[in-house]
Amino acid sequence: MAGDRPEGGEVPLLYSEGNVAARVALEREVRGWSTTELAERVTRAGVKMNQTAIWRIENGTPRRRINLDEALAFSRVFELPLEELMSPPLEGLDIAGRRLVQEAVEAFYANRDARDRLHHAVVAIADHIKAHPDSSRAIHEQCLRLMGDERDARTLSGDIEDGGHY
């Protein structure tokens, strides 16, 4: 139909094998991985692959085809939904920007996991104090001893008294 194609070109596909190849190269570069390291990670994810295959996917003429098992392994290795891996890379975000976002996302999840771990530990201590009320003072003193900073120890003790971190 007229108007479906940009003048002189083809309609870009929202999802395509070419997008996957471009995303593989981009995601690998954002993480600072070599083609060899990516091939090793894909192999550990359950799909045997070597450095040459990665290079041919990213740069080959013709480009090496990607089968479904490989696409799923890339998705797993990059921790991206398959649909995201198949989507075209975002315009206007360079490698440095993507690396910064990647670092922030990783820090966000590490922080969330640490908060959850702290919450579970605080709840367990609060439960311990309920079962052993005479241990309360010693637990608070142990917090101060291990933390070394009175303000931080008071904060943790307050969380314990409140029965949770959040």
Side-chain angles (χ1 to χ4, degrees):
M1 289 174 76
D4 284 350
R5 295 175 186 260
E7 195 170 313
E10 293 192 18
V11 175
L13 296 175
L14 180 57
Y15 305 118
S16 73
E17 195 170 46
N19 287 339
V20 176
R23 288 300 296 270
V24 165
L26 181 64
E27 298 299 334
R28 180 185 60 75
E29 289 173 14
V30 164
R31 289 161 176 78
W33 298 343
S34 67
T35 53
T36 301
E37 184 172 357
L38 177 54
E40 290 169 356
R41 288 173 181 265
V42 170
T43 299
R44 284 195 304 269
V47 177
K48 189 172 168 114
M49 188 167 287
N50 61 37
Q51 176 272 334
T52 303
I54 300 291
W55 188 92
R56 288 184 56 224
I57 288 168
E58 293 180 7
N59 305 297
T61 307
R63 182 183 310 113
R64 182 187 174 283
R65 307 274 329 230
I66 302 166
N67 68 40
L68 181 58
D69 289 340
E70 292 167 342
L72 290 169
F74 284 128
S75 178
R76 192 172 311 124
V77 165
F78 293 134
E79 297 178 342
L80 293 173
L82 186 57
E83 184 174 4
E84 177 69 16
L85 183 70
M86 295 173 9
S87 300
L90 292 172
E91 295 290 325
L93 192 57
D94 63 3
I95 295 291
R98 288 187 60 91
R99 282 188 179 138
L100 292 170
V101 171
Q102 180 72 28
E103 183 178 334
V105 168
E106 289 171 4
F108 174 86
Y109 286 122
N111 183 328
R112 183 194 65 192
D113 294 345
R115 282 193 327 258
D116 288 348
R117 203 171 126 224
L118 175 58
H119 175 73
H120 291 294
V122 165
V123 167
I125 293 170
D127 289 346
H128 181 83
I129 291 172
K130 284 179 190 170
H132 306 89
D134 294 342
S135 68
S136 178
R137 181 176 169 87
I139 284 175
H140 296 297
E141 287 177 12
Q142 182 68 0
C143 288
L144 178 58
R145 181 181 295 171
L146 292 174
M147 297 179 87
D149 182 282
E150 188 172 334
R151 186 172 39 184
D152 289 344
R154 272 190 305 220
T155 300
L156 181 58
S157 291
D159 288 346
I160 292 167
E161 289 169 12
D162 294 340
H165 176 62
Y166 46 71

